[in-house]
Amino acid sequence: MLKKYIHLNAFEMNTVNHMAHGLWAHPEDQRIHYKTANYWIKLAQLLEKGCFDALFLADIGGVYEPYAGSYKAAVKRGMQSPINDPFINVGLMLGVTEHLGFAVSASTSYEDPFNLARRFSTLDHLSNGRVAWNVVTSALEAAALNHGHDAIIPHDKRYEIADEFLEVCYKLWEHSWEEDAVQANRAAHMYADPDKVHTIDHVGPYFKVRGPHACEPSTQRTPVIFQAGSSTTGKKFAAKHAEGVFIAGQEPDKLRQTVKSLRESALEQGREANDIKVFASLTIVVGHTHEEVQNKLKDYQQYFLPEASFIQFSGSTGIDLASLNDDELFGQRHSEGNQSTAQLYSHKTAYTVKNIKDELSKFGARTLLVLGTPEEVADQIEELVDYIDLDGFNVYQAITPATLEDVVELVIPELQKRGRYRTHYQDTSFRDRLFRQGDKLSPRHIVHKKYTEA
């Protein structure tokens, strides 16, 4: 049986402290320069050198503040605070790359569909079809308070809003401008045929948008749709909308069940199982010798800051670890925040709060972790892809940019030798790179079944 190519995205955030909690303080780490143009330009060029699929940019709409009842701990530790806008960085990096994709997180709970649709169309034009939208619903209460709400929007309602938000965007991207609307007829002074440009006249429970779309059709029209929720509601949403799904966790068996469920749900939606590409989180520690790997691991753990990990977990889930007794059972705690994060441990019924803290205190917690020489790391990556039924990984950094330099220089050449990773880019859109079926949404996607011209 022909083994599929492995897709790799670099998982990043426009902030000083992303997922390697506390390692920004490491003397070799360059994350403190995240607010400079040169930092992002070099990162994009490194990823393109390694033939990465994309730079995957996470984002949050507020400060992590449930931990100890305040945002002060997050600010003190630089726990994804301060954080800058990811969209502007993408525009910068497009100018220094030709092939690298960019997956940008944007919230359906607090963005405006008309303006967001225009922003993505603009990036898709500038990149010649290299952008994706990571659809998030915003799990932080602080984000709600920053956008005019008195409390976090309940979890399932956020997905109701997201569903309609995407409906509006699909109508704008796919149905407002006909494919041949743009004439660019200089002699007639007619840029576009007005009879081929349509309003969408959307009226729904959460949005009212007339249209037409502000932008002419771009290479992909709709950006590649990513989604990262693994709750029951999130998986249903992904089965309906997503082309790429990002899942987190450190247990291959549990991840395998999640992937199986996602692919089965896609079939129930009239799609094919492989219409969704699934990416797991991955941390790689690689070296030429076992001694080098162990020294790196020891070094990373020395700088790892458990409190920063507690702050993120508490902020994401809304469950304040600082307010709970260590000997208390963690259990099936209700969360209106990020249920995927809460579920990383809630199934472990015997786990106490101290057990959770002990897990979160380890470097590489909440993600698959592979260690070894290039050959050993490649072995483990292949095994994980084939066992879990993954399409690829979102690669976390320990030290920036040294971790990704190691991946590019040591791991990727080994995967290329085995025929599991591209040796060069083909001049294509992000969607066609993932599916090899053209630039536009699959004919099996919901956009072709439900959302029609107004």
Side-chain angles (χ1 to χ4, degrees):
M1 185 174 114
L2 183 65
K3 293 191 173 183
K4 57 189 176 185
Y5 267 179
I6 295 168
H7 297 273
L8 294 181
N9 303 319
F11 190 43
E12 264 300 341
M13 207 171 195
N14 197 358
T15 185
V16 71
N17 187 9
H18 185 205
M19 298 300 291
H21 303 308
L23 267 78
W24 66 270
H26 192 286
E28 295 177 18
D29 194 271
Q30 299 299 308
R31 290 202 70 90
I32 202 164
H33 301 299
Y34 79 94
K35 50 197 179 292
T36 68
N38 198 44
Y39 174 93
W40 294 98
I41 288 170
K42 286 185 174 180
L43 174 62
Q45 290 172 331
L46 173 64
L47 297 176
E48 185 146 276
K49 177 184 176 183
C51 292
F52 270 67
D53 283 80
L55 174 61
F56 190 108
L57 287 162
D59 195 26
I60 55 174
V63 183
Y64 291 125
E65 61 184 49
Y67 186 75
S70 170
Y71 62 81
K72 292 185 178 180
V75 172
K76 179 180 179 180
R77 301 303 187 187
M79 189 54 249
Q80 296 179 8
S81 173
I83 183 167
N84 290 345
D85 189 313
F87 275 89
I88 296 168
N89 295 46
V90 171
L92 174 73
M93 290 183 282
L94 289 177
V96 297
T97 57
E98 295 181 14
H99 307 285
L100 183 67
F102 296 92
V104 193
S105 299
S107 172
T108 54
S109 297
Y110 309 119
E111 288 273 7
D112 167 75
F114 183 84
N115 286 325
L116 188 66
R118 182 175 71 156
R119 210 178 311 155
F120 271 114
S121 290
T122 301
L123 286 179
D124 205 54
H125 278 298
L126 291 174
S127 67
N128 195 25
R130 291 190 278 142
V131 295
W133 173 18
N134 178 41
V135 179
V136 297
T137 63
S138 294
L140 271 64
E141 185 164 24
L145 300 178
N146 287 338
H147 292 87
H149 298 265
D150 295 326
I152 190 171
I153 301 170
H155 180 271
D156 287 358
K157 185 177 179 180
R158 295 201 304 271
Y159 277 101
E160 290 177 13
I161 295 169
D163 195 65
E164 187 183 342
F165 194 114
L166 263 71
E167 179 178 350
V168 174
C169 289
Y170 292 149
K171 288 176 178 178
L172 292 167
W173 286 323
E174 299 290 335
H175 301 298
S176 184
W177 288 63
E178 295 181 31
E179 197 63 37
D180 59 348
V182 174
Q183 304 289 314
N185 187 330
R186 287 188 170 96
H189 278 251
M190 183 173 76
Y191 187 75
D193 183 344
D195 292 332
K196 294 180 180 290
V197 180
H198 311 284
T199 60
I200 65 168
D201 301 314
H202 177 89
V203 180
Y206 302 108
F207 302 105
K208 184 177 181 180
V209 181
R210 192 198 70 169
H213 186 33
C215 305
E216 63 184 88
S218 63
T219 302
Q220 297 182 122
R221 280 191 177 257
T222 297
V224 175
I225 302 296
F226 272 83
Q227 194 263 350
S230 296
S231 66
T232 300
T233 308
K235 285 189 285 189
K236 287 180 180 177
F237 183 87
K240 181 177 179 182
H241 295 284
E243 298 170 278
V245 173
F246 173 35
I247 59 176
Q250 66 273 46
E251 300 175 60
D253 288 340
K254 196 164 185 294
L255 292 172
R256 187 182 188 189
Q257 292 171 9
T258 299
V259 175
K260 183 173 182 290
S261 175
L262 277 167
R263 299 206 192 282
E264 288 173 349
S265 296
L267 291 171
E268 291 170 3
Q269 291 288 332
R271 305 172 73 187
E272 293 183 359
N274 290 322
D275 283 347
I276 297 177
K277 301 296 182 186
V278 186
F279 296 78
S281 58
L282 180 68
T283 299
I284 298 171
V285 182
V286 62
H288 295 284
T289 66
H290 291 162
E291 183 181 13
E292 182 185 348
V293 172
Q294 289 305 312
N295 287 339
K296 284 183 179 181
L297 196 60
K298 184 178 179 180
D299 187 36
Y300 299 161
Q301 188 64 55
Q302 178 183 342
Y303 282 90
F304 188 82
L305 188 65
E307 186 188 22
S309 189
F310 303 163
I311 291 165
Q312 187 190 19
F313 183 87
S314 299
S316 295
T317 62
I319 301 168
D320 180 8
L321 290 178
S323 69
L324 303 176
N325 295 324
D326 280 356
D327 58 358
E328 209 175 321
L329 286 175
F330 185 76
Q332 296 282 341
R333 292 180 184 270
H334 177 72
S335 170
E336 289 295 349
N338 191 317
Q339 293 187 3
S340 300
T341 300
Q343 288 169 1
L344 288 173
Y345 303 110
S346 59
H347 67 289
K348 298 183 176 182
T349 54
Y351 260 38
T352 64
V353 171
K354 185 178 185 306
N355 292 142
I356 303 292
K357 288 181 176 178
D358 288 345
E359 290 283 341
L360 293 172
S361 296
K362 300 173 185 174
F363 168 78
R366 295 176 51 185
T367 174
L368 295 167
L369 175 64
V370 297
L371 314 166
T373 64
E375 295 80 7
E376 291 168 338
V377 166
D379 286 344
Q380 293 169 70
I381 286 174
E382 285 194 277
E383 288 169 8
L384 289 167
V385 165
D386 296 338
Y387 177 71
I388 300 172
D389 189 21
L390 295 170
D391 296 284
F393 299 94
N394 276 6
V395 180
Y396 289 21
Q397 293 214 68
I399 300 296
T400 305
T403 296
L404 286 174
E405 288 173 344
D406 283 347
V407 172
V408 170
E409 300 297 335
L410 301 177
V411 179
I412 285 175
E414 182 63 30
L415 291 172
Q416 288 171 329
K417 279 197 310 187
R418 302 177 184 205
R420 298 301 298 266
Y421 193 83
R422 71 176 65 84
T423 56
H424 63 278
Y425 289 108
Q426 293 179 315
D427 193 13
T428 184
S429 67
F430 190 9
R431 179 173 285 115
D432 193 51
R433 182 183 303 158
L434 290 174
F435 296 100
R436 310 307 303 159
Q437 294 178 1
D439 302 331
K440 304 299 193 291
L441 281 165
S442 163
R444 295 178 295 276
H445 193 274
I446 188 70
V447 74
H448 299 298
K449 300 175 183 177
K450 179 178 178 182
Y451 308 124
T452 57
E453 215 173 282

